Amino acid sequence: MTITDCRDLAVSNADNALVAALENAHEMFLTYSGDPLGEITEVLDAEPDFVMGQIFKASLLTQAMETRIYPELVSTLKTAEALAPRANERERRHIEAIRAWADGDFHGAVDLWDALLVQFPRDLLALQLAHLSDVLLGDTDNQRDRVARILHAWDESVPGYGYMLGLYAFGLEENRDFDIAEECGRRAVAMNPKDAYAIHAVGHVMESQGRQSGGINWMRSREQDWAYSNFANHLWWHLSLYHLDLAQNDQVLDIYDRCLRSTDSSGDRYEELDAAALLWRLELLGVDVGDRWKTLADKWEPSATDTLYAFNDVHAMMTFVADGRWEVAEQVLNAHERYTTAANDANAAMTRTVGQPFCKALKAFAEEKYGEAVDILLPIRYRTRYLGGSHAQRDIIGMTLLEAALRGGRNDLALALASERTALKPTSPMNWRFAARAHRGRGDHTRATEAEAQAIALHG
């Protein structure tokens, strides 16, 4: 008898109880709730030969992007590879994709998951892994189109349809298809109120459109659905961005202190990324953040030379230069030199293209060498997607460039950059404040006053 999961996909060497346990763990992964890794590990302790269980565990570990997790990923993958003769074709393809990922061939892994999805378009795990990898790699087109390619096989009768819509909503938003993105995201949340990823997708739409009050209302109205999820840190960060745009800095610092500032030494990089990204934005805007950098830099320092993921490296560098840890900052740059000289994997390319230059620019900025920071960042500003993350996350590069131009007296450039921002998001008070400073720097006090008035009017 062939055992299948809830989407009619065959599962090797399993019984219905094992499949149910796997689906329960996957539901946790989809909703960012509970402990899916612990859940599947408990299943595998009792049934170590469960092929799809080992695949699922290894799949979870691919998303950590941390050196400390890598040995467990490799160990789990080797167990899955040893079980490959018992696996079916779909499962073997999963194993091949995870092997490519573990070897640093992130693009190859995504290609293998994509080929799997052509044949098995209802494999929600493959879709989720490929989509999250697209985000890690900054592949904005496929964040949308990879989901679109499997839509023909889905409807509301297929379990997990709402989660698929949530992934699609985010991909649509990253491609500025805002209306359809919001429709899909809200529909996903209506189907699964605790779908934190879909809630986040709608939040992205509102941030991208400069709908600050609407974004605050959306996040607060859904707070009970996401505030206790494993994605809460990132969603608190999103909420803080709306307040930051409105110059409600007390609220931003309150969110940081209550929800992002942690003395936990577990080393969860996803949490520390959000904390560093928020503090650096405050730093750029001239807000005194007190001693908050020290605690965060203490958490990043043990992994300063990991060079596993460029996106992590730049956020680590923010903490080191902001806290004046110049020796550690040099260690990061030296590690980049060694790594990019010796390696040729996907992350090495990300580091060369964006990670390493941005780290150098961050150091120059903190040393008040603003012209140097501008000269480093200006040539890479249209390649920043290769750092990974979202448009909202990568906007920190544009903000750093603009602020460096302002502080360095490059006011014509600053005005051009501010003009670009106000055209893209004209309802952003922060963008108009940037424009006002650029006008004033050029000596055009009339235009500066007009831009300041626009910013005040948008506070509503």
Short mmCIF file of all heavy atoms in Angstrom, two decimals, residues 263-298:
data_model
loop_
_atom_site.label_atom_id
_atom_site.label_comp_id
_atom_site.label_asym_id
_atom_site.label_seq_id
_atom_site.Cartn_x
_atom_site.Cartn_y
_atom_site.Cartn_z
N THR A 263 19.12 39.81 26.19
CA THR A 263 20.41 39.43 26.76
C THR A 263 20.66 37.94 26.57
O THR A 263 21.65 37.40 27.04
CB THR A 263 20.46 39.75 28.26
OG1 THR A 263 19.37 39.10 28.93
CG2 THR A 263 20.36 41.26 28.48
N ASP A 264 19.75 37.28 25.87
CA ASP A 264 19.88 35.85 25.60
C ASP A 264 21.12 35.62 24.73
O ASP A 264 21.32 36.29 23.73
CB ASP A 264 18.62 35.36 24.87
CG ASP A 264 18.70 33.89 24.52
OD1 ASP A 264 19.52 33.19 25.12
OD2 ASP A 264 17.94 33.46 23.63
N SER A 265 21.93 34.68 25.10
CA SER A 265 23.16 34.41 24.36
C SER A 265 23.03 33.20 23.44
O SER A 265 24.02 32.58 23.08
CB SER A 265 24.32 34.18 25.34
OG SER A 265 24.04 33.08 26.19
N SER A 266 21.81 32.86 23.06
CA SER A 266 21.59 31.67 22.22
C SER A 266 22.20 31.82 20.85
O SER A 266 22.50 30.84 20.18
CB SER A 266 20.08 31.40 22.08
OG SER A 266 19.46 32.44 21.36
N GLY A 267 22.38 33.04 20.40
CA GLY A 267 23.01 33.26 19.10
C GLY A 267 22.06 33.16 17.94
O GLY A 267 22.47 32.84 16.83
N ASP A 268 20.79 33.46 18.15
CA ASP A 268 19.82 33.41 17.06
C ASP A 268 20.01 34.62 16.17
O ASP A 268 19.63 35.74 16.50
CB ASP A 268 18.39 33.38 17.63
CG ASP A 268 17.35 33.14 16.55
OD1 ASP A 268 17.60 33.51 15.39
OD2 ASP A 268 16.29 32.57 16.87
N ARG A 269 20.61 34.41 15.00
CA ARG A 269 20.98 35.53 14.14
C ARG A 269 19.77 36.26 13.59
O ARG A 269 19.82 37.47 13.36
CB ARG A 269 21.86 35.03 12.98
CG ARG A 269 23.22 34.53 13.45
CD ARG A 269 24.07 35.71 13.93
NE ARG A 269 25.25 35.23 14.65
CZ ARG A 269 25.39 35.22 15.96
NH1 ARG A 269 24.42 35.67 16.73
NH2 ARG A 269 26.48 34.78 16.53
N TYR A 270 18.66 35.55 13.35
CA TYR A 270 17.49 36.23 12.81
C TYR A 270 17.03 37.33 13.76
O TYR A 270 16.64 38.42 13.33
CB TYR A 270 16.36 35.24 12.55
CG TYR A 270 16.52 34.46 11.27
CD1 TYR A 270 16.30 33.10 11.23
CD2 TYR A 270 16.90 35.10 10.10
CE1 TYR A 270 16.45 32.38 10.04
CE2 TYR A 270 17.06 34.40 8.91
CZ TYR A 270 16.82 33.04 8.89
OH TYR A 270 16.98 32.34 7.72
N GLU A 271 17.07 37.07 15.04
CA GLU A 271 16.66 38.09 16.00
C GLU A 271 17.66 39.24 16.03
O GLU A 271 17.29 40.41 16.09
CB GLU A 271 16.51 37.46 17.39
CG GLU A 271 15.38 36.42 17.47
CD GLU A 271 15.12 35.94 18.87
OE1 GLU A 271 15.79 36.44 19.80
OE2 GLU A 271 14.24 35.08 19.06
N GLU A 272 18.94 38.91 16.00
CA GLU A 272 19.96 39.94 16.09
C GLU A 272 20.03 40.80 14.83
O GLU A 272 20.40 41.97 14.89
CB GLU A 272 21.31 39.29 16.39
CG GLU A 272 21.33 38.65 17.78
CD GLU A 272 22.43 37.62 17.96
OE1 GLU A 272 23.29 37.52 17.07
OE2 GLU A 272 22.41 36.92 18.97
N LEU A 273 19.68 40.21 13.68
CA LEU A 273 19.62 40.99 12.44
C LEU A 273 18.65 42.14 12.58
O LEU A 273 18.96 43.29 12.23
CB LEU A 273 19.18 40.09 11.28
CG LEU A 273 20.17 39.09 10.72
CD1 LEU A 273 19.46 38.12 9.79
CD2 LEU A 273 21.29 39.80 9.97
N ASP A 274 17.45 41.86 13.05
CA ASP A 274 16.43 42.89 13.18
C ASP A 274 16.86 43.97 14.17
O ASP A 274 16.64 45.16 13.93
CB ASP A 274 15.11 42.27 13.63
CG ASP A 274 14.50 41.37 12.57
OD1 ASP A 274 14.57 41.73 11.39
OD2 ASP A 274 13.96 40.30 12.93
N ALA A 275 17.47 43.55 15.27
CA ALA A 275 17.91 44.52 16.27
C ALA A 275 18.98 45.45 15.69
O ALA A 275 18.91 46.68 15.85
CB ALA A 275 18.45 43.78 17.50
N ALA A 276 19.97 44.88 15.00
CA ALA A 276 21.03 45.70 14.41
C ALA A 276 20.48 46.64 13.34
O ALA A 276 20.85 47.81 13.28
CB ALA A 276 22.11 44.80 13.82
N ALA A 277 19.58 46.11 12.51
CA ALA A 277 19.02 46.92 11.43
C ALA A 277 18.24 48.10 11.97
O ALA A 277 18.28 49.20 11.39
CB ALA A 277 18.11 46.05 10.56
N LEU A 278 17.54 47.92 13.08
CA LEU A 278 16.76 49.02 13.65
C LEU A 278 17.67 50.05 14.31
O LEU A 278 17.50 51.27 14.10
CB LEU A 278 15.75 48.48 14.67
CG LEU A 278 14.81 49.52 15.28
CD1 LEU A 278 14.08 50.31 14.20
CD2 LEU A 278 13.81 48.87 16.23
N LEU A 279 18.65 49.60 15.07
CA LEU A 279 19.56 50.55 15.73
C LEU A 279 20.35 51.36 14.71
O LEU A 279 20.58 52.56 14.91
CB LEU A 279 20.52 49.82 16.67
CG LEU A 279 19.96 49.28 17.99
CD1 LEU A 279 21.10 48.79 18.87
CD2 LEU A 279 19.14 50.33 18.73
N TRP A 280 20.77 50.73 13.60
CA TRP A 280 21.54 51.48 12.61
C TRP A 280 20.67 52.56 11.96
O TRP A 280 21.14 53.68 11.71
CB TRP A 280 22.12 50.55 11.56
CG TRP A 280 23.05 51.26 10.61
CD1 TRP A 280 22.80 51.66 9.33
CD2 TRP A 280 24.39 51.70 10.90
NE1 TRP A 280 23.89 52.30 8.79
CE2 TRP A 280 24.88 52.35 9.73
CE3 TRP A 280 25.22 51.60 12.01
CZ2 TRP A 280 26.17 52.88 9.66
CZ3 TRP A 280 26.50 52.15 11.94
CH2 TRP A 280 26.96 52.78 10.78
N ARG A 281 19.40 52.25 11.70
CA ARG A 281 18.50 53.28 11.15
C ARG A 281 18.38 54.45 12.12
O ARG A 281 18.39 55.61 11.71
CB ARG A 281 17.13 52.66 10.85
CG ARG A 281 17.07 51.85 9.57
CD ARG A 281 15.77 51.06 9.47
NE ARG A 281 15.58 50.48 8.15
CZ ARG A 281 16.19 49.38 7.72
NH1 ARG A 281 17.04 48.75 8.52
NH2 ARG A 281 15.96 48.90 6.51
N LEU A 282 18.23 54.14 13.40
CA LEU A 282 18.14 55.21 14.40
C LEU A 282 19.44 56.02 14.42
O LEU A 282 19.42 57.25 14.52
CB LEU A 282 17.87 54.61 15.77
CG LEU A 282 16.45 54.07 16.00
CD1 LEU A 282 16.40 53.18 17.23
CD2 LEU A 282 15.45 55.21 16.13
N GLU A 283 20.56 55.33 14.31
CA GLU A 283 21.86 56.01 14.28
C GLU A 283 21.95 56.96 13.09
O GLU A 283 22.41 58.10 13.22
CB GLU A 283 22.97 54.96 14.21
CG GLU A 283 24.34 55.44 14.59
CD GLU A 283 24.54 55.50 16.10
OE1 GLU A 283 23.97 54.67 16.84
OE2 GLU A 283 25.28 56.41 16.53
N LEU A 284 21.49 56.50 11.93
CA LEU A 284 21.52 57.35 10.74
C LEU A 284 20.68 58.60 10.92
O LEU A 284 21.01 59.67 10.39
CB LEU A 284 21.00 56.56 9.52
CG LEU A 284 21.87 55.42 9.01
CD1 LEU A 284 21.14 54.66 7.91
CD2 LEU A 284 23.22 55.91 8.51
N LEU A 285 19.59 58.47 11.65
CA LEU A 285 18.68 59.59 11.85
C LEU A 285 19.07 60.46 13.05
O LEU A 285 18.33 61.37 13.43
CB LEU A 285 17.25 59.08 12.00
CG LEU A 285 16.69 58.34 10.77
CD1 LEU A 285 15.31 57.76 11.06
CD2 LEU A 285 16.63 59.27 9.56
N GLY A 286 20.22 60.17 13.63
CA GLY A 286 20.72 61.01 14.71
C GLY A 286 20.07 60.78 16.05
O GLY A 286 20.12 61.65 16.93
N VAL A 287 19.47 59.62 16.25
CA VAL A 287 18.80 59.32 17.52
C VAL A 287 19.81 58.66 18.47
O VAL A 287 20.50 57.71 18.10
CB VAL A 287 17.60 58.38 17.30
CG1 VAL A 287 16.93 58.04 18.63
CG2 VAL A 287 16.61 59.01 16.35
N ASP A 288 19.89 59.16 19.68
CA ASP A 288 20.78 58.59 20.69
C ASP A 288 20.20 57.26 21.17
O ASP A 288 19.12 57.23 21.74
CB ASP A 288 20.93 59.57 21.85
CG ASP A 288 21.90 59.08 22.92
OD1 ASP A 288 22.50 57.99 22.74
OD2 ASP A 288 22.05 59.78 23.94
N VAL A 289 20.94 56.17 20.97
CA VAL A 289 20.44 54.85 21.38
C VAL A 289 21.11 54.36 22.65
O VAL A 289 20.95 53.20 23.04
CB VAL A 289 20.63 53.82 20.24
CG1 VAL A 289 19.88 54.25 19.00
CG2 VAL A 289 22.10 53.57 19.94
N GLY A 290 21.87 55.23 23.31
CA GLY A 290 22.46 54.87 24.59
C GLY A 290 23.44 53.71 24.49
O GLY A 290 24.25 53.64 23.56
N ASP A 291 23.32 52.78 25.44
CA ASP A 291 24.27 51.66 25.50
C ASP A 291 23.78 50.42 24.75
O ASP A 291 24.34 49.33 24.91
CB ASP A 291 24.55 51.29 26.95
CG ASP A 291 23.31 50.72 27.66
OD1 ASP A 291 22.20 50.82 27.09
OD2 ASP A 291 23.45 50.19 28.77
N ARG A 292 22.76 50.58 23.93
CA ARG A 292 22.15 49.41 23.30
C ARG A 292 23.10 48.68 22.35
O ARG A 292 22.99 47.48 22.16
CB ARG A 292 20.87 49.82 22.57
CG ARG A 292 19.75 50.28 23.50
CD ARG A 292 18.57 50.83 22.72
NE ARG A 292 17.46 51.24 23.56
CZ ARG A 292 17.35 52.44 24.13
NH1 ARG A 292 18.31 53.36 23.95
NH2 ARG A 292 16.30 52.73 24.88
N TRP A 293 24.03 49.41 21.73
CA TRP A 293 24.95 48.76 20.81
C TRP A 293 25.84 47.74 21.51
O TRP A 293 26.18 46.71 20.93
CB TRP A 293 25.82 49.79 20.11
CG TRP A 293 25.18 50.49 18.96
CD1 TRP A 293 24.94 51.83 18.84
CD2 TRP A 293 24.71 49.90 17.74
NE1 TRP A 293 24.34 52.11 17.64
CE2 TRP A 293 24.18 50.94 16.93
CE3 TRP A 293 24.66 48.59 17.25
CZ2 TRP A 293 23.64 50.73 15.67
CZ3 TRP A 293 24.12 48.37 16.00
CH2 TRP A 293 23.61 49.43 15.22
N LYS A 294 26.25 48.04 22.73
CA LYS A 294 27.21 47.16 23.40
C LYS A 294 26.67 45.75 23.57
O LYS A 294 27.34 44.76 23.26
CB LYS A 294 27.59 47.74 24.77
CG LYS A 294 28.63 46.87 25.50
CD LYS A 294 28.92 47.39 26.89
CE LYS A 294 30.01 46.53 27.56
NZ LYS A 294 29.66 45.09 27.58
N THR A 295 25.45 45.65 24.07
CA THR A 295 24.85 44.34 24.29
C THR A 295 24.75 43.56 22.98
O THR A 295 25.04 42.36 22.92
CB THR A 295 23.44 44.48 24.90
OG1 THR A 295 23.54 45.23 26.11
CG2 THR A 295 22.83 43.12 25.19
N LEU A 296 24.37 44.27 21.93
CA LEU A 296 24.21 43.61 20.63
C LEU A 296 25.55 43.19 20.05
O LEU A 296 25.70 42.09 19.50
CB LEU A 296 23.47 44.55 19.69
CG LEU A 296 22.83 43.95 18.45
CD1 LEU A 296 21.91 42.79 18.80
CD2 LEU A 296 22.06 45.01 17.68
N ALA A 297 26.55 44.06 20.15
CA ALA A 297 27.88 43.72 19.64
C ALA A 297 28.47 42.54 20.40
O ALA A 297 29.17 41.69 19.81
CB ALA A 297 28.80 44.93 19.74
N ASP A 298 28.19 42.45 21.69
CA ASP A 298 28.65 41.30 22.47
C ASP A 298 28.10 39.99 21.90
O ASP A 298 28.80 38.97 21.88
CB ASP A 298 28.20 41.43 23.93
CG ASP A 298 29.00 42.45 24.72
OD1 ASP A 298 30.09 42.84 24.25
OD2 ASP A 298 28.53 42.86 25.80
#
